[in-house]
Amino acid sequence: MNPLLKQVQDSGVIGAGGAGFPTYVKLDCQVDLILANGAECEPLLYKDQVLMQRWARDLFGGMLLAMKEVGASRGVIGIKKKNADTIAILEASLPETIELCLMEDVYPAGDEVELVYEATGKRIPSGGLPKDIGVMVNNIESFINVYRASKGIVTTETMITVHGEVSKPYTAWLPVGMSYQEAIDLAGGITCQDYVIVEGGPMMGSVTEDLSLPITKISSGLLVLPKNNRVARIKLRSEQDLLRIGKAACDQCRLCSSMCPRGLLGYPIQPHLAMRSLQVSGVNNLPDALAAQACSGCNLCTMWSCPEGLDPSRVCGITKRTLRDNNQLQTPAQLQAKTIDVHPLREYRGVPTKRLVRRLELTDYICTKAEFMEFDALFSAALSQNSNFMKQVSIPLSQHIGKPALAMVSVGDEVKKGQMLGQAAPDGLSVAVHSSVNGTVVSVGNSIVIERI
């Protein structure tokens, strides 16, 4: 492994805000174009705008390092046209080899496949990867962390937006391992009675009521929403209920397929057929079920398209899981053989973010921007109210796709912020994890718990 890839692995750099794919693996390729995803199309999240406005130099530095590593001659940053203030900051110091791809304010502009097509006019092969067409994609925070890794700075924090039913929404660098409760306390606490926490954005995020969960390197947003909000109502449905209702109520209107972003790009995904498969038992439903495999999980069909309030997106996810469990998934070649031309009306079927926000019942929140706050100021204010605030952090050894890091510390050890707690597993996909605080190790298991000094 060459020096930069080793630095990136040992610094614990992964895809921040996505599935947590180790960045050193993405950098181990040869492509023509490096693409930074700054589209940020999930309503209420503001972290990418903060990162590009305040850490443009680090972003450019990480992109240039990545370009040199993979042999790319060009770098592109995908950003929505509406973000004029961010665009002005980027253009003021944009390197010659990096350009901006200005995108419309539609959802899901930040989907990797959508972004690649907008930036290059090329489609990633169905079932394939961006590198198959000479492109490497990463998010804004990951490129910043690559630059920092090259300077010996390890990943101990992540940029997060806390929004929704809180007193003071904010965006800040938060230490890995602090609890959801503590992150929300920094926002002045929850302002409603019955609520859920959306981890990530309202479209693709998951829901939880467990405030003890820790912030990880893939955390991007914590949205507090009332349980009677449309987003919460849909996401709280049980799998049994959504399948039962979908089987009984879907009238095959095809709106989910007509508006599907991946379908409009010509990929072989038809959510209405996945819904139809619920009504057919046994192997007879296989032809319809296979129409779910190319689903990206963007959730537009559920949150926007379906007039019956059904959940085609989760049905597609469940169907894909069943296909995988039964070894029935199609090969990339089979999927690619079913790919057709881009739909001639694609550009007219983009869903405007403002209208989507209204459909999601988030209008009351969108008016308040989650401005950037320095963590030290937030922490000091919280500590003045509660001397035991963030007394401990719990840092998972697995925050990424692949094998967990291997613990290097024992109970009773004193550790410093930035110290490696777990090294990358030597025999597989893995990255290191580090302490986000100074303290004493009090527990070692799947997570390392540190009592802050």
Side-chain angles (χ1 to χ4, degrees):
M1 188 181 298
N2 70 32
L4 179 63
L5 299 189
K6 183 63 174 172
Q7 282 179 313
V8 170
Q9 182 184 37
D10 287 345
S11 296
V13 183
I14 60 175
F21 193 82
T23 302
Y24 77 94
V25 178
K26 279 196 172 185
L27 290 170
D28 190 15
C29 66
Q30 291 294 296
V31 296
D32 304 317
L33 176 68
I34 289 293
L35 185 52
N37 189 347
E40 194 165 51
C41 56
E42 282 273 16
L44 300 185
L45 298 192
Y46 188 57
K47 58 171 283 185
D48 282 349
Q49 301 311 307
V50 168
L51 290 168
M52 288 186 283
Q53 290 173 15
R54 292 175 175 267
W55 285 275
R57 181 181 66 89
D58 291 7
L59 168 61
F60 297 149
M63 291 182 69
L64 291 171
L65 282 170
M67 289 165 65
K68 182 178 179 181
E69 182 66 33
V70 304
S73 58
R74 293 173 56 226
V76 174
I77 301 171
I79 182 171
K80 290 185 176 180
K81 295 176 184 177
K82 70 172 184 178
N83 296 310
D85 48 352
T86 306
I87 291 169
I89 291 171
L90 294 176
E91 288 182 335
S93 56
L94 200 64
E96 290 184 2
T97 53
I98 297 177
E99 60 194 74
L100 303 182
C101 173
L102 303 183
M103 309 175 72
E104 300 298 329
D105 187 19
V106 296
Y107 183 86
D111 174 53
E112 182 176 78
V113 170
E114 294 276 333
L115 180 61
V116 169
Y117 182 74
E118 290 295 322
T120 69
K122 299 178 182 179
R123 292 182 294 179
I124 299 169
S126 190
L129 298 169
K131 67 180 182 180
D132 297 335
I133 55 170
V135 181
M136 195 275 275
V137 185
N138 233 324
N139 58 35
I140 301 298
E141 188 173 334
S142 296
F143 279 120
I144 290 172
N145 286 337
V146 167
Y147 177 76
R148 292 179 173 181
S150 73
K151 304 298 182 183
I153 302 171
V154 300
T155 303
T156 62
E157 56 190 11
T158 186
M159 183 68 78
I160 291 185
T161 293
V162 179
H163 212 324
E165 285 289 339
V166 294
S167 295
K168 300 175 183 178
Y170 70 89
T171 299
W173 287 110
L174 297 185
V176 170
M178 79 179 300
S179 70
Y180 287 5
Q181 178 70 70
E182 291 159 342
I184 292 168
D185 286 346
L186 294 179
I190 297 172
T191 57
C192 68
Q193 291 296 318
D194 295 321
Y195 61 85
V196 294
I197 310 300
V198 178
E199 305 165 287
M203 291 297 285
M204 297 184 71
S206 56
V207 294
T208 184
E209 298 177 63
D210 186 355
L211 292 174
S212 69
L213 293 171
I215 299 293
T216 70
K217 288 184 282 189
I218 65 171
S219 299
S220 60
L222 294 178
L223 308 180
V224 183
L225 297 178
K227 282 188 176 179
N228 63 0
N229 172 269
R230 185 167 183 265
V231 173
R233 296 196 308 270
I234 290 174
K235 291 181 180 289
L236 285 171
R237 288 177 187 159
S238 71
E239 187 172 302
Q240 181 180 8
D241 282 348
L242 72 91
L243 292 175
R244 175 178 54 80
I245 296 169
K247 180 177 181 178
C250 178
D251 58 11
Q252 291 291 288
C253 71
R254 298 177 60 100
L255 279 175
C256 54
S257 295
S258 296
M259 293 296 294
C260 175
R262 289 282 176 96
L264 290 168
L265 273 172
Y267 292 97
I269 164 67
Q270 297 187 76
H272 79 281
L273 292 182
M275 297 297 291
R276 183 190 297 172
S277 73
L278 298 178
Q279 303 172 355
V280 184
S281 43
V283 295
N284 293 324
N285 74 359
L286 184 59
D288 291 337
L290 289 173
Q293 187 177 332
C295 175
S296 68
C298 77
N299 223 13
L300 193 69
C301 53
T302 295
M303 296 296 193
W304 176 265
S305 303
C306 182
E308 303 290 344
L310 307 181
D311 202 338
S313 181
R314 282 181 67 191
V315 169
C316 283
I318 294 165
T319 303
K320 287 166 67 175
R321 184 183 69 205
T322 302
L323 290 171
R324 186 178 300 110
D325 291 345
N326 291 293
N327 296 314
Q328 293 175 322
L329 289 174
Q330 301 164 95
T331 66
Q334 289 173 320
L335 287 170
Q336 185 60 24
K338 295 180 178 180
T339 301
I340 59 177
D341 291 339
V342 176
H343 197 287
L345 297 179
R346 173 181 173 270
E347 66 177 301
Y348 304 106
R349 293 188 183 176
V351 176
T353 302
K354 288 183 179 180
R355 293 184 63 190
L356 179 61
V357 165
R358 289 197 294 271
R359 183 71 65 87
L360 297 176
E361 300 176 0
L362 299 177
T363 305
D364 290 345
Y365 310 116
I366 204 73
C367 298
T368 304
K369 184 181 288 187
E371 299 284 0
F372 175 72
M373 299 290 290
E374 294 286 354
F375 174 73
D376 288 347
L378 292 168
F379 180 73
S380 296
L383 203 59
S384 68
Q385 300 293 320
N386 177 10
S387 60
N388 288 319
F389 182 78
M390 209 178 83
K391 191 65 175 176
Q392 292 185 339
V393 295
S394 179
I395 303 176
L397 288 168
S398 180
Q399 302 175 45
H400 52 270
I401 289 177
K403 294 189 174 182
L406 303 176
M408 301 173 61
V409 294
S410 302
V411 173
D413 288 353
E414 290 190 3
V415 296
K416 299 290 186 182
K417 179 179 178 180
Q419 180 176 331
M420 189 180 290
L421 302 176
Q423 63 185 345
D427 55 346
L429 197 66
S430 187
V431 299
V433 298
H434 305 80
S435 179
S436 58
V437 296
N438 298 331
T440 303
V441 176
V442 296
S443 175
V444 177
N446 292 329
S447 296
I448 295 177
V449 180
I450 301 168
E451 187 170 291
R452 182 177 55 81
I453 296 176

